[in-house]
Short mmCIF file of all heavy atoms in Angstrom, two decimals:
data_model
loop_
_atom_site.label_atom_id
_atom_site.label_comp_id
_atom_site.label_asym_id
_atom_site.label_seq_id
_atom_site.Cartn_x
_atom_site.Cartn_y
_atom_site.Cartn_z
N LEU A 816 21.07 -1.24 -7.27
CA LEU A 816 20.76 -1.06 -8.69
C LEU A 816 19.25 -1.09 -8.90
O LEU A 816 18.52 -1.78 -8.19
CB LEU A 816 21.40 -2.16 -9.55
CG LEU A 816 22.90 -2.07 -9.83
CD1 LEU A 816 23.33 -3.26 -10.70
CD2 LEU A 816 23.27 -0.77 -10.51
N TRP A 817 18.82 -0.36 -9.92
CA TRP A 817 17.43 -0.36 -10.38
C TRP A 817 17.22 -1.53 -11.34
O TRP A 817 18.08 -1.87 -12.13
CB TRP A 817 17.16 0.96 -11.08
CG TRP A 817 15.79 1.18 -11.64
CD1 TRP A 817 14.76 1.83 -11.05
CD2 TRP A 817 15.32 0.80 -12.95
NE1 TRP A 817 13.66 1.88 -11.89
CE2 TRP A 817 13.99 1.24 -13.06
CE3 TRP A 817 15.89 0.12 -14.03
CZ2 TRP A 817 13.22 1.05 -14.21
CZ3 TRP A 817 15.12 -0.09 -15.17
CH2 TRP A 817 13.80 0.37 -15.25
N LEU A 818 16.03 -2.12 -11.28
CA LEU A 818 15.69 -3.25 -12.14
C LEU A 818 14.18 -3.23 -12.36
O LEU A 818 13.41 -2.91 -11.46
CB LEU A 818 16.09 -4.56 -11.46
CG LEU A 818 16.27 -5.82 -12.30
CD1 LEU A 818 17.42 -5.68 -13.28
CD2 LEU A 818 16.53 -7.02 -11.36
N GLU A 819 13.76 -3.55 -13.58
CA GLU A 819 12.33 -3.70 -13.87
C GLU A 819 12.13 -5.13 -14.38
O GLU A 819 12.01 -5.37 -15.58
CB GLU A 819 11.87 -2.67 -14.89
CG GLU A 819 10.37 -2.55 -14.97
CD GLU A 819 9.91 -1.36 -15.81
OE1 GLU A 819 10.74 -0.58 -16.29
OE2 GLU A 819 8.68 -1.23 -15.98
N PRO A 820 12.04 -6.10 -13.46
CA PRO A 820 12.20 -7.49 -13.85
C PRO A 820 11.06 -8.08 -14.66
O PRO A 820 11.28 -9.03 -15.43
CB PRO A 820 12.33 -8.22 -12.50
CG PRO A 820 11.66 -7.32 -11.52
CD PRO A 820 11.93 -5.93 -12.00
N GLU A 821 9.84 -7.58 -14.52
CA GLU A 821 8.69 -8.25 -15.15
C GLU A 821 8.50 -7.90 -16.62
O GLU A 821 7.61 -8.46 -17.27
CB GLU A 821 7.42 -7.93 -14.37
CG GLU A 821 7.39 -8.54 -12.98
CD GLU A 821 6.33 -7.92 -12.10
OE1 GLU A 821 5.16 -8.34 -12.20
OE2 GLU A 821 6.66 -7.00 -11.31
N VAL A 822 9.32 -7.00 -17.16
CA VAL A 822 9.11 -6.59 -18.55
C VAL A 822 10.32 -6.94 -19.41
O VAL A 822 11.45 -7.06 -18.93
CB VAL A 822 8.84 -5.07 -18.65
CG1 VAL A 822 7.60 -4.70 -17.86
CG2 VAL A 822 10.04 -4.25 -18.21
N VAL A 823 10.04 -7.08 -20.71
CA VAL A 823 11.07 -7.27 -21.73
C VAL A 823 10.71 -6.35 -22.88
O VAL A 823 9.57 -6.39 -23.40
CB VAL A 823 11.12 -8.73 -22.22
CG1 VAL A 823 12.02 -8.86 -23.45
CG2 VAL A 823 11.62 -9.65 -21.11
N GLY A 824 11.63 -5.49 -23.29
CA GLY A 824 11.36 -4.57 -24.38
C GLY A 824 11.12 -5.29 -25.69
O GLY A 824 11.67 -6.37 -25.94
N VAL A 825 10.31 -4.67 -26.54
CA VAL A 825 9.97 -5.32 -27.82
C VAL A 825 11.20 -5.48 -28.70
O VAL A 825 11.22 -6.35 -29.58
CB VAL A 825 8.86 -4.54 -28.55
CG1 VAL A 825 7.57 -4.55 -27.76
CG2 VAL A 825 9.29 -3.11 -28.86
N ARG A 826 12.24 -4.65 -28.51
CA ARG A 826 13.46 -4.77 -29.32
C ARG A 826 14.54 -5.60 -28.64
O ARG A 826 15.63 -5.77 -29.17
CB ARG A 826 14.01 -3.38 -29.65
CG ARG A 826 13.11 -2.57 -30.57
CD ARG A 826 13.81 -1.32 -31.12
NE ARG A 826 14.24 -0.42 -30.06
CZ ARG A 826 15.51 -0.22 -29.71
NH1 ARG A 826 16.48 -0.86 -30.34
NH2 ARG A 826 15.81 0.64 -28.75
N SER A 827 14.26 -6.11 -27.44
CA SER A 827 15.24 -6.93 -26.74
C SER A 827 15.38 -8.29 -27.42
O SER A 827 14.38 -8.88 -27.86
CB SER A 827 14.82 -7.14 -25.29
OG SER A 827 15.64 -8.10 -24.66
N PRO A 828 16.59 -8.84 -27.52
CA PRO A 828 16.75 -10.20 -28.06
C PRO A 828 15.93 -11.24 -27.30
O PRO A 828 15.49 -12.24 -27.87
CB PRO A 828 18.25 -10.46 -27.92
CG PRO A 828 18.87 -9.10 -27.92
CD PRO A 828 17.89 -8.21 -27.22
N LEU A 829 15.68 -10.98 -25.99
CA LEU A 829 14.91 -11.93 -25.20
C LEU A 829 13.48 -12.06 -25.68
O LEU A 829 12.83 -13.08 -25.45
CB LEU A 829 14.92 -11.51 -23.73
CG LEU A 829 16.22 -11.79 -22.98
CD1 LEU A 829 16.30 -10.97 -21.73
CD2 LEU A 829 16.33 -13.27 -22.66
N ALA A 830 12.98 -11.01 -26.34
CA ALA A 830 11.62 -11.09 -26.88
C ALA A 830 11.51 -12.18 -27.93
O ALA A 830 10.40 -12.67 -28.20
CB ALA A 830 11.22 -9.74 -27.47
N ARG A 831 12.64 -12.57 -28.51
CA ARG A 831 12.64 -13.61 -29.54
C ARG A 831 13.15 -14.96 -29.02
O ARG A 831 12.76 -16.00 -29.54
CB ARG A 831 13.51 -13.17 -30.72
CG ARG A 831 12.99 -11.93 -31.44
CD ARG A 831 13.87 -11.51 -32.60
NE ARG A 831 15.22 -11.11 -32.19
CZ ARG A 831 15.53 -9.90 -31.75
NH1 ARG A 831 14.59 -8.97 -31.67
NH2 ARG A 831 16.76 -9.59 -31.42
N THR A 832 14.00 -14.94 -27.99
CA THR A 832 14.62 -16.19 -27.55
C THR A 832 13.82 -16.90 -26.45
O THR A 832 13.89 -18.13 -26.35
CB THR A 832 16.05 -15.93 -27.06
OG1 THR A 832 16.02 -14.97 -26.00
CG2 THR A 832 16.92 -15.40 -28.20
N LEU A 833 13.09 -16.15 -25.63
CA LEU A 833 12.25 -16.81 -24.63
C LEU A 833 11.02 -17.40 -25.31
O LEU A 833 10.52 -16.85 -26.28
CB LEU A 833 11.82 -15.82 -23.54
CG LEU A 833 12.90 -15.39 -22.54
CD1 LEU A 833 12.38 -14.30 -21.62
CD2 LEU A 833 13.39 -16.58 -21.72
N PRO A 834 10.50 -18.52 -24.81
CA PRO A 834 9.33 -19.14 -25.46
C PRO A 834 8.10 -18.24 -25.37
O PRO A 834 7.96 -17.47 -24.41
CB PRO A 834 9.14 -20.44 -24.68
CG PRO A 834 9.86 -20.24 -23.39
CD PRO A 834 10.99 -19.31 -23.67
N PRO A 835 7.20 -18.31 -26.34
CA PRO A 835 6.00 -17.46 -26.33
C PRO A 835 5.19 -17.62 -25.05
O PRO A 835 4.58 -16.65 -24.58
CB PRO A 835 5.21 -17.94 -27.55
CG PRO A 835 6.24 -18.57 -28.45
CD PRO A 835 7.27 -19.16 -27.55
N GLU A 836 5.18 -18.82 -24.48
CA GLU A 836 4.38 -19.07 -23.29
C GLU A 836 4.93 -18.36 -22.05
O GLU A 836 4.27 -18.30 -21.01
CB GLU A 836 4.31 -20.57 -23.01
CG GLU A 836 3.61 -21.38 -24.09
CD GLU A 836 4.53 -21.66 -25.27
OE1 GLU A 836 5.76 -21.42 -25.16
OE2 GLU A 836 4.01 -22.10 -26.33
N ALA A 837 6.16 -17.82 -22.14
CA ALA A 837 6.76 -17.11 -21.02
C ALA A 837 6.26 -15.68 -20.91
O ALA A 837 6.60 -14.97 -19.96
CB ALA A 837 8.28 -17.10 -21.15
N PHE A 838 5.42 -15.24 -21.86
CA PHE A 838 4.93 -13.86 -21.89
C PHE A 838 3.41 -13.82 -21.71
O PHE A 838 2.70 -14.80 -21.99
CB PHE A 838 5.29 -13.20 -23.23
CG PHE A 838 6.76 -13.03 -23.46
CD1 PHE A 838 7.48 -13.99 -24.16
CD2 PHE A 838 7.43 -11.93 -22.96
CE1 PHE A 838 8.84 -13.84 -24.38
CE2 PHE A 838 8.79 -11.77 -23.17
CZ PHE A 838 9.51 -12.73 -23.88
N PHE A 839 2.91 -12.66 -21.30
CA PHE A 839 1.47 -12.44 -21.25
C PHE A 839 0.91 -12.47 -22.66
O PHE A 839 1.46 -11.85 -23.58
CB PHE A 839 1.16 -11.09 -20.62
CG PHE A 839 1.07 -11.10 -19.11
CD1 PHE A 839 1.88 -11.92 -18.35
CD2 PHE A 839 0.17 -10.28 -18.45
CE1 PHE A 839 1.81 -11.93 -16.97
CE2 PHE A 839 0.09 -10.27 -17.07
CZ PHE A 839 0.90 -11.10 -16.32
N ARG A 840 -0.22 -13.17 -22.83
CA ARG A 840 -0.89 -13.23 -24.13
C ARG A 840 -2.40 -13.13 -23.89
O ARG A 840 -2.92 -13.60 -22.88
CB ARG A 840 -0.57 -14.55 -24.84
CG ARG A 840 0.90 -14.71 -25.24
CD ARG A 840 1.20 -16.11 -25.72
NE ARG A 840 0.97 -17.07 -24.65
CZ ARG A 840 0.76 -18.37 -24.84
NH1 ARG A 840 0.72 -18.85 -26.08
NH2 ARG A 840 0.57 -19.19 -23.83
N ARG A 841 -3.07 -12.53 -24.84
CA ARG A 841 -4.53 -12.51 -24.82
C ARG A 841 -5.03 -12.76 -26.23
O ARG A 841 -4.53 -12.16 -27.19
CB ARG A 841 -5.08 -11.17 -24.29
CG ARG A 841 -4.79 -10.95 -22.81
CD ARG A 841 -5.66 -9.87 -22.20
NE ARG A 841 -5.33 -8.54 -22.63
CZ ARG A 841 -4.42 -7.74 -22.05
NH1 ARG A 841 -3.74 -8.19 -21.01
NH2 ARG A 841 -4.20 -6.53 -22.51
N GLY A 842 -5.98 -13.67 -26.36
CA GLY A 842 -6.47 -14.04 -27.68
C GLY A 842 -5.40 -14.65 -28.55
O GLY A 842 -5.46 -14.55 -29.78
N GLY A 843 -4.41 -15.27 -27.93
CA GLY A 843 -3.32 -15.89 -28.67
C GLY A 843 -2.26 -14.90 -29.14
O GLY A 843 -1.30 -15.30 -29.80
N VAL A 844 -2.40 -13.62 -28.80
CA VAL A 844 -1.46 -12.58 -29.24
C VAL A 844 -0.66 -12.09 -28.04
O VAL A 844 -1.22 -11.83 -26.96
CB VAL A 844 -2.23 -11.40 -29.88
CG1 VAL A 844 -1.26 -10.29 -30.29
CG2 VAL A 844 -3.05 -11.88 -31.07
N ARG A 845 0.65 -11.97 -28.23
CA ARG A 845 1.48 -11.47 -27.15
C ARG A 845 1.11 -10.02 -26.83
O ARG A 845 0.99 -9.18 -27.72
CB ARG A 845 2.96 -11.55 -27.52
CG ARG A 845 3.89 -11.19 -26.35
CD ARG A 845 5.35 -11.22 -26.74
NE ARG A 845 5.78 -12.55 -27.20
CZ ARG A 845 7.04 -12.84 -27.50
NH1 ARG A 845 7.98 -11.90 -27.40
NH2 ARG A 845 7.36 -14.05 -27.91
N VAL A 846 0.93 -9.73 -25.55
CA VAL A 846 0.52 -8.39 -25.14
C VAL A 846 1.71 -7.44 -25.23
O VAL A 846 2.84 -7.78 -24.83
CB VAL A 846 -0.03 -8.41 -23.70
CG1 VAL A 846 -0.41 -7.00 -23.24
CG2 VAL A 846 -1.23 -9.34 -23.60
N THR A 847 1.46 -6.24 -25.77
CA THR A 847 2.47 -5.19 -25.83
C THR A 847 1.88 -3.93 -25.21
O THR A 847 0.74 -3.55 -25.51
CB THR A 847 2.89 -4.88 -27.28
OG1 THR A 847 3.37 -6.09 -27.89
CG2 THR A 847 3.98 -3.82 -27.31
N GLU A 848 2.64 -3.28 -24.35
CA GLU A 848 2.20 -2.04 -23.73
C GLU A 848 3.39 -1.11 -23.58
O GLU A 848 4.39 -1.46 -22.95
CB GLU A 848 1.57 -2.33 -22.35
CG GLU A 848 1.10 -1.11 -21.58
CD GLU A 848 -0.12 -0.44 -22.19
OE1 GLU A 848 -0.76 -1.06 -23.10
OE2 GLU A 848 -0.45 0.68 -21.80
N HIS A 849 3.30 0.07 -24.20
CA HIS A 849 4.34 1.09 -24.11
C HIS A 849 5.72 0.49 -24.44
O HIS A 849 6.71 0.72 -23.75
CB HIS A 849 4.35 1.71 -22.70
CG HIS A 849 5.08 3.02 -22.63
ND1 HIS A 849 5.21 3.74 -21.47
CD2 HIS A 849 5.73 3.74 -23.59
CE1 HIS A 849 5.91 4.84 -21.70
NE2 HIS A 849 6.23 4.87 -22.98
N GLY A 850 5.76 -0.28 -25.52
CA GLY A 850 7.02 -0.81 -25.99
C GLY A 850 7.57 -1.98 -25.20
O GLY A 850 8.73 -2.35 -25.39
N ARG A 851 6.75 -2.58 -24.34
CA ARG A 851 7.22 -3.71 -23.54
C ARG A 851 6.28 -4.90 -23.62
O ARG A 851 5.07 -4.75 -23.77
CB ARG A 851 7.31 -3.30 -22.05
CG ARG A 851 8.62 -2.66 -21.64
CD ARG A 851 8.55 -1.15 -21.60
NE ARG A 851 9.81 -0.59 -21.14
CZ ARG A 851 10.09 -0.37 -19.84
NH1 ARG A 851 9.22 -0.67 -18.92
NH2 ARG A 851 11.24 0.16 -19.51
N HIS A 852 6.85 -6.09 -23.50
CA HIS A 852 6.12 -7.31 -23.24
C HIS A 852 6.23 -7.60 -21.74
O HIS A 852 7.08 -7.05 -21.05
CB HIS A 852 6.68 -8.48 -24.04
CG HIS A 852 6.69 -8.27 -25.52
ND1 HIS A 852 5.57 -7.89 -26.23
CD2 HIS A 852 7.70 -8.39 -26.44
CE1 HIS A 852 5.87 -7.78 -27.51
NE2 HIS A 852 7.16 -8.08 -27.67
N HIS A 853 5.38 -8.50 -21.28
CA HIS A 853 5.30 -8.79 -19.84
C HIS A 853 5.55 -10.27 -19.61
O HIS A 853 4.93 -11.13 -20.24
CB HIS A 853 3.92 -8.41 -19.32
CG HIS A 853 3.81 -8.29 -17.83
ND1 HIS A 853 3.91 -9.38 -16.99
CD2 HIS A 853 3.59 -7.22 -17.04
CE1 HIS A 853 3.76 -8.97 -15.74
NE2 HIS A 853 3.56 -7.66 -15.74
N LEU A 854 6.48 -10.58 -18.72
CA LEU A 854 6.79 -11.97 -18.39
C LEU A 854 5.71 -12.57 -17.49
O LEU A 854 5.15 -11.88 -16.63
CB LEU A 854 8.14 -12.07 -17.68
CG LEU A 854 9.38 -11.73 -18.52
CD1 LEU A 854 10.61 -11.70 -17.63
CD2 LEU A 854 9.56 -12.74 -19.65
N ASP A 855 5.43 -13.84 -17.69
CA ASP A 855 4.55 -14.61 -16.82
C ASP A 855 5.45 -15.47 -15.93
O ASP A 855 6.05 -16.45 -16.39
CB ASP A 855 3.61 -15.48 -17.65
CG ASP A 855 2.57 -16.20 -16.80
OD1 ASP A 855 2.78 -16.33 -15.58
OD2 ASP A 855 1.55 -16.64 -17.36
N LEU A 856 5.55 -15.11 -14.67
CA LEU A 856 6.50 -15.78 -13.79
C LEU A 856 6.05 -17.16 -13.35
O LEU A 856 6.74 -17.82 -12.56
CB LEU A 856 6.81 -14.90 -12.58
CG LEU A 856 7.73 -13.72 -12.89
CD1 LEU A 856 8.06 -12.94 -11.64
CD2 LEU A 856 9.02 -14.20 -13.55
N ARG A 857 4.94 -17.63 -13.87
CA ARG A 857 4.60 -19.04 -13.67
C ARG A 857 5.39 -19.93 -14.62
O ARG A 857 5.48 -21.15 -14.40
CB ARG A 857 3.10 -19.25 -13.90
CG ARG A 857 2.21 -18.54 -12.90
CD ARG A 857 0.75 -18.67 -13.27
NE ARG A 857 0.45 -18.00 -14.53
CZ ARG A 857 -0.76 -18.02 -15.11
NH1 ARG A 857 -1.76 -18.67 -14.53
NH2 ARG A 857 -0.96 -17.39 -16.25
N HIS A 858 5.93 -19.35 -15.67
CA HIS A 858 6.66 -20.15 -16.66
C HIS A 858 8.11 -20.32 -16.20
O HIS A 858 8.78 -19.35 -15.84
CB HIS A 858 6.63 -19.46 -18.02
CG HIS A 858 7.03 -20.37 -19.14
ND1 HIS A 858 8.35 -20.66 -19.43
CD2 HIS A 858 6.28 -21.09 -20.03
CE1 HIS A 858 8.41 -21.49 -20.45
NE2 HIS A 858 7.17 -21.77 -20.84
N PRO A 859 8.63 -21.53 -16.22
CA PRO A 859 9.99 -21.77 -15.71
C PRO A 859 11.07 -21.01 -16.47
O PRO A 859 12.08 -20.62 -15.86
CB PRO A 859 10.17 -23.29 -15.85
CG PRO A 859 9.09 -23.74 -16.78
CD PRO A 859 7.96 -22.79 -16.62
N ALA A 860 10.88 -20.77 -17.77
CA ALA A 860 11.91 -20.03 -18.51
C ALA A 860 11.98 -18.58 -18.07
O ALA A 860 13.07 -17.99 -18.00
CB ALA A 860 11.63 -20.13 -20.02
N ALA A 861 10.83 -17.97 -17.80
CA ALA A 861 10.82 -16.59 -17.33
C ALA A 861 11.49 -16.48 -15.98
O ALA A 861 12.32 -15.58 -15.74
CB ALA A 861 9.38 -16.07 -17.26
N ARG A 862 11.16 -17.39 -15.09
CA ARG A 862 11.75 -17.35 -13.75
C ARG A 862 13.24 -17.66 -13.79
O ARG A 862 14.03 -17.02 -13.08
CB ARG A 862 11.01 -18.33 -12.84
CG ARG A 862 11.49 -18.31 -11.42
CD ARG A 862 10.41 -18.80 -10.48
NE ARG A 862 10.91 -18.93 -9.12
CZ ARG A 862 10.13 -19.02 -8.06
NH1 ARG A 862 8.81 -18.97 -8.19
NH2 ARG A 862 10.64 -19.15 -6.85
N ALA A 863 13.64 -18.62 -14.60
CA ALA A 863 15.07 -18.96 -14.69
C ALA A 863 15.86 -17.77 -15.22
O ALA A 863 16.99 -17.50 -14.74
CB ALA A 863 15.25 -20.17 -15.60
N HIS A 864 15.31 -17.07 -16.19
CA HIS A 864 15.99 -15.88 -16.72
C HIS A 864 16.22 -14.86 -15.61
O HIS A 864 17.34 -14.34 -15.44
CB HIS A 864 15.16 -15.28 -17.85
CG HIS A 864 15.41 -13.82 -18.09
ND1 HIS A 864 16.64 -13.33 -18.49
CD2 HIS A 864 14.58 -12.74 -17.96
CE1 HIS A 864 16.56 -12.02 -18.61
NE2 HIS A 864 15.34 -11.64 -18.28
N LEU A 865 15.19 -14.56 -14.83
CA LEU A 865 15.33 -13.55 -13.78
C LEU A 865 16.22 -14.03 -12.64
O LEU A 865 16.96 -13.24 -12.04
CB LEU A 865 13.96 -13.14 -13.26
CG LEU A 865 13.09 -12.36 -14.25
CD1 LEU A 865 11.79 -11.93 -13.60
CD2 LEU A 865 13.84 -11.13 -14.77
N ASP A 866 16.18 -15.31 -12.35
CA ASP A 866 17.09 -15.84 -11.33
C ASP A 866 18.55 -15.66 -11.75
O ASP A 866 19.41 -15.29 -10.94
CB ASP A 866 16.81 -17.33 -11.08
CG ASP A 866 15.61 -17.55 -10.18
OD1 ASP A 866 15.20 -16.60 -9.47
OD2 ASP A 866 15.06 -18.68 -10.18
N GLN A 867 18.83 -15.89 -13.02
CA GLN A 867 20.19 -15.70 -13.52
C GLN A 867 20.61 -14.24 -13.42
O GLN A 867 21.75 -13.92 -13.06
CB GLN A 867 20.29 -16.19 -14.96
CG GLN A 867 20.17 -17.70 -15.12
CD GLN A 867 20.05 -18.13 -16.58
OE1 GLN A 867 20.08 -17.30 -17.48
NE2 GLN A 867 19.89 -19.43 -16.80
N VAL A 868 19.68 -13.34 -13.74
CA VAL A 868 19.99 -11.90 -13.65
C VAL A 868 20.32 -11.52 -12.21
O VAL A 868 21.33 -10.86 -11.94
CB VAL A 868 18.79 -11.08 -14.17
CG1 VAL A 868 18.97 -9.60 -13.83
CG2 VAL A 868 18.64 -11.25 -15.67
N VAL A 869 19.49 -11.92 -11.27
CA VAL A 869 19.71 -11.55 -9.87
C VAL A 869 20.96 -12.22 -9.31
O VAL A 869 21.73 -11.60 -8.56
CB VAL A 869 18.47 -11.88 -9.02
CG1 VAL A 869 18.76 -11.65 -7.54
CG2 VAL A 869 17.28 -11.03 -9.46
N ASP A 870 21.19 -13.47 -9.67
CA ASP A 870 22.40 -14.14 -9.19
C ASP A 870 23.66 -13.44 -9.69
O ASP A 870 24.68 -13.38 -8.98
CB ASP A 870 22.40 -15.61 -9.63
CG ASP A 870 21.40 -16.45 -8.85
OD1 ASP A 870 20.94 -15.99 -7.79
OD2 ASP A 870 21.06 -17.55 -9.32
N ARG A 871 23.60 -12.91 -10.90
CA ARG A 871 24.75 -12.16 -11.42
C ARG A 871 24.89 -10.83 -10.68
O ARG A 871 25.99 -10.47 -10.23
CB ARG A 871 24.58 -11.93 -12.92
CG ARG A 871 25.58 -10.96 -13.53
CD ARG A 871 25.60 -11.04 -15.05
NE ARG A 871 24.28 -11.20 -15.64
CZ ARG A 871 23.46 -10.20 -15.92
NH1 ARG A 871 23.81 -8.95 -15.63
NH2 ARG A 871 22.28 -10.42 -16.49
N ILE A 872 23.80 -10.09 -10.56
CA ILE A 872 23.86 -8.75 -9.97
C ILE A 872 24.17 -8.81 -8.47
O ILE A 872 25.02 -8.06 -7.97
CB ILE A 872 22.53 -8.01 -10.22
CG1 ILE A 872 22.39 -7.68 -11.71
CG2 ILE A 872 22.44 -6.74 -9.39
CD1 ILE A 872 21.04 -7.08 -12.07
N VAL A 873 23.49 -9.69 -7.77
CA VAL A 873 23.67 -9.76 -6.32
C VAL A 873 24.81 -10.70 -5.96
O VAL A 873 25.70 -10.34 -5.17
CB VAL A 873 22.35 -10.21 -5.65
CG1 VAL A 873 22.53 -10.35 -4.14
CG2 VAL A 873 21.23 -9.21 -5.96
N GLY A 874 24.77 -11.91 -6.52
CA GLY A 874 25.77 -12.90 -6.14
C GLY A 874 27.17 -12.59 -6.64
O GLY A 874 28.15 -12.74 -5.91
N ASP A 875 27.28 -12.12 -7.92
CA ASP A 875 28.59 -11.86 -8.50
C ASP A 875 29.06 -10.42 -8.29
O ASP A 875 30.23 -10.19 -7.98
CB ASP A 875 28.58 -12.18 -10.00
CG ASP A 875 28.28 -13.64 -10.29
OD1 ASP A 875 28.42 -14.47 -9.36
OD2 ASP A 875 27.90 -13.95 -11.44
N TRP A 876 28.16 -9.47 -8.47
CA TRP A 876 28.56 -8.06 -8.40
C TRP A 876 28.55 -7.50 -6.98
O TRP A 876 29.10 -6.44 -6.73
CB TRP A 876 27.65 -7.20 -9.27
CG TRP A 876 27.72 -7.50 -10.74
CD1 TRP A 876 28.51 -8.42 -11.37
CD2 TRP A 876 26.94 -6.89 -11.76
NE1 TRP A 876 28.29 -8.41 -12.71
CE2 TRP A 876 27.33 -7.48 -12.99
CE3 TRP A 876 25.97 -5.90 -11.78
CZ2 TRP A 876 26.76 -7.11 -14.21
CZ3 TRP A 876 25.39 -5.53 -12.99
CH2 TRP A 876 25.80 -6.12 -14.19
#
Side-chain angles (χ1 to χ4, degrees):
L816 284 180
W817 180 96
L818 200 64
E819 195 170 356
E821 292 165 83
V822 300
V823 170
V825 296
R826 293 192 301 109
S827 170
L829 284 162
R831 297 180 296 277
T832 58
L833 287 174
E836 296 80 12
F838 295 94
F839 273 35
R840 295 170 297 159
R841 292 197 289 272
V844 178
R845 187 182 300 186
V846 178
T847 303
E848 179 69 13
H849 197 180
R851 273 99 177 271
H852 302 307
H853 196 292
L854 292 173
D855 186 341
L856 285 183
R857 295 174 296 177
H858 195 280
R862 183 155 174 163
H864 156 63
L865 291 184
D866 280 342
Q867 291 171 1
V868 169
V869 173
D870 287 344
R871 170 165 39 85
I872 290 174
V873 177
D875 298 342
W876 296 358

